[in-house]
Amino acid sequence: MRAVKGRNTSLEWTVRRLIFRMGYRYRMHRADLPGKPDLVFSGRRKVIFAHGCFWHGHSFARGARAPKTNAAYWRTKIESNLKRDARQIEALSAAGWRSLIVWECETNDLRILAKRLRGFLG
Ligand SMILES: [Zn+2]
């Protein structure tokens, strides 16, 4: 569990390196798209977000408890992240973009993750 605000750069790096090695090319953080997606595949109109499990609510979805210290703060913060993530994906979808979220915990098995990525990117 990482108590650092902002992007989890090592997570993003792991995902980028994997996708690059799979032969896909992408742009990063296109500011003209909702949520500035981490990876953008313009020709395919697809984007990928690499999300840390704690900050983006995946840990809670899987039954983890909030840290006891400042529990209310974490919960509010994570809930607002979840809402923002959902809004961004909706906005992207309305503009004709498909989104995939790669969770931090998925980088534990890159072989399975690569299959999922290939399924999404085609
Ligand atoms: Zn996770």
Side-chain angles (χ1 to χ4, degrees):
M1 196 172 302
R2 227 166 282 230
V4 176
K5 242 180 161 176
R7 294 184 186 285
N8 183 335
T9 50
S10 75
L11 163 63
E12 205 186 304
W13 172 243
T14 302
V15 174
R16 281 198 336 234
R17 195 174 42 188
L18 174 64
I19 289 175
F20 189 87
R21 278 204 310 237
M22 289 167 68
Y24 297 104
R25 297 297 176 262
Y26 49 82
R27 289 177 59 191
M28 292 182 303
H29 305 297
R30 257 182 67 173
D32 58 324
L33 290 178
K36 265 208 267 179
D38 297 319
L39 288 86
V40 178
F41 304 84
S42 302
R44 295 178 161 86
R45 281 187 92 77
K46 289 175 182 173
V47 303
I48 289 177
F49 292 94
H51 279 350
C53 292
F54 178 71
W55 284 108
H56 294 270
H58 203 226
S59 307
F60 291 129
R62 305 179 71 170
R65 296 238 178 86
K68 285 210 169 90
T69 316
N70 295 326
Y73 167 78
W74 300 124
R75 187 157 283 284
T76 305
K77 174 77 184 147
I78 289 165
E79 275 168 7
S80 87
N81 283 347
L82 276 171
K83 279 185 200 145
R84 196 193 52 209
D85 292 343
R87 268 201 313 273
Q88 287 166 351
I89 285 174
E90 234 176 75
L92 283 161
S93 163
W97 292 82
R98 286 182 57 209
S99 304
L100 179 79
I101 292 174
V102 172
W103 295 104
E104 184 182 7
C105 60
E106 290 183 286
T107 59
N108 293 334
D109 190 333
L110 294 182
R111 211 169 46 88
I112 290 174
L113 177 57
K115 268 191 202 157
R116 193 168 163 244
L117 290 166
R118 211 178 292 284
F120 174 69
L121 292 169

